[in-house]
Amino acid sequence: MTSAPSVRQPVHTQVVEGFGAVTITPVDPAADSALIHRWVTQERARFWGMGEAGREQVQEIYEDIDRRTTHHAFMVSRDGEQVALFQTYDCAEDRVGECYEVRPGDIGVHLLIGPATGPVEHGFTGSLMTVFIDFVFSDEAARRVVVEPDARNTKAVSLMERTGFVLGPKVVLPEIDLPEVYLPAKPAQLAFFTAPEGARTTD
């Protein structure tokens, strides 16, 4: 069974010299769940925490996100090819808000890079991170990007440091057990990227 193509429109497009045109489009749960399911159930995505989820469950999770005003999910394409899943959320309305002192304008993000379809491309994730940071700060209310990768995911923590994030404390994100979503407790490394003064961007 194939899903109908998404009719959702991009919310951000940015051309990165030497890399390509990056487009950020809201996730369409029905159209995108099969692809997201393939990504999140691979061993390389074990820290995403959805390795045992079925496709229907993945769709339900993203339908729940789609209904929220505090959490958002996006498919990311480079030159028309879907390459990443990017999520943003209001830290004050998320479990991470129980683990540190949230400031006004704190925007949390999650990033899952899709599996490579060709040779390893050095600088690929870093180029995407540049676009994601610009996208978050295109919201005038955003003041700081907050990430909370699994503390055991040393590769992700190292990437954040290389991108310019400042490491904060290690915390344990509390378990969430609700009818619409279950998240186990997770050891996390907080890291922060503060918007430079005068660095607001717009599409």
Side-chain angles (χ1 to χ4, degrees):
M1 179 178 178
T2 58
S3 300
S6 174
V7 296
R8 298 197 171 183
Q9 297 301 307
V11 293
H12 184 87
T13 300
Q14 186 170 331
V15 176
V16 180
E17 186 175 355
F19 183 73
V22 179
T23 302
I24 300 176
T25 305
V27 164
D28 181 328
D32 297 326
S33 60
L35 176 61
I36 294 173
H37 176 255
R38 288 199 298 272
W39 287 359
V40 301
T41 53
Q42 294 186 6
E43 169 61 22
R44 60 184 295 278
R46 63 190 180 280
F47 291 114
W48 198 256
M50 296 173 64
E52 302 299 320
R55 191 205 63 77
E56 294 81 5
Q57 184 180 2
V58 168
Q59 180 169 331
E60 290 171 359
I61 289 170
Y62 283 92
E63 286 173 343
D64 177 66
I65 293 174
D66 200 42
R67 288 190 291 267
R68 297 172 181 258
T69 59
T70 56
H71 292 62
H72 307 279
F74 305 93
M75 291 300 300
V76 182
S77 299
R78 180 179 72 157
D79 295 334
E81 178 185 1
Q82 292 173 310
V83 295
L85 174 64
F86 181 62
Q87 297 178 199
T88 64
Y89 59 91
D90 181 346
C91 293
E93 300 296 332
D94 190 84
R95 64 178 178 167
V96 73
E98 300 180 30
C99 301
Y100 83 105
E101 186 175 348
V102 179
R103 298 179 186 174
D106 276 2
I107 303 297
V109 304
H110 296 301
L111 169 64
L112 177 65
I113 302 296
T117 56
V120 174
E121 186 175 341
H122 295 292
F124 182 89
T125 304
S127 295
L128 288 181
M129 286 296 298
T130 297
V131 176
F132 298 150
I133 290 171
D134 285 350
F135 170 58
V136 172
F137 288 143
S138 68
D139 181 346
E140 293 184 356
R143 293 292 180 269
R144 191 168 62 160
V145 178
V146 181
V147 295
E148 29 90 338
D150 193 298
R152 298 161 294 187
N153 190 349
T154 55
K155 183 176 180 181
V157 174
S158 177
L159 169 65
M160 296 307 153
E161 288 189 280
R162 294 197 308 272
T163 307
F165 282 77
V166 175
L167 296 186
K170 290 184 178 179
V171 300
V172 176
L173 301 183
E175 177 187 50
I176 293 179
D177 190 1
L178 299 172
E180 66 273 14
V181 62
Y182 173 76
L183 296 172
K186 183 184 86 169
Q189 172 66 67
L190 297 185
F192 307 91
F193 189 103
T194 302
E197 289 299 322
R200 296 284 180 266
T201 63
T202 57
D203 283 357

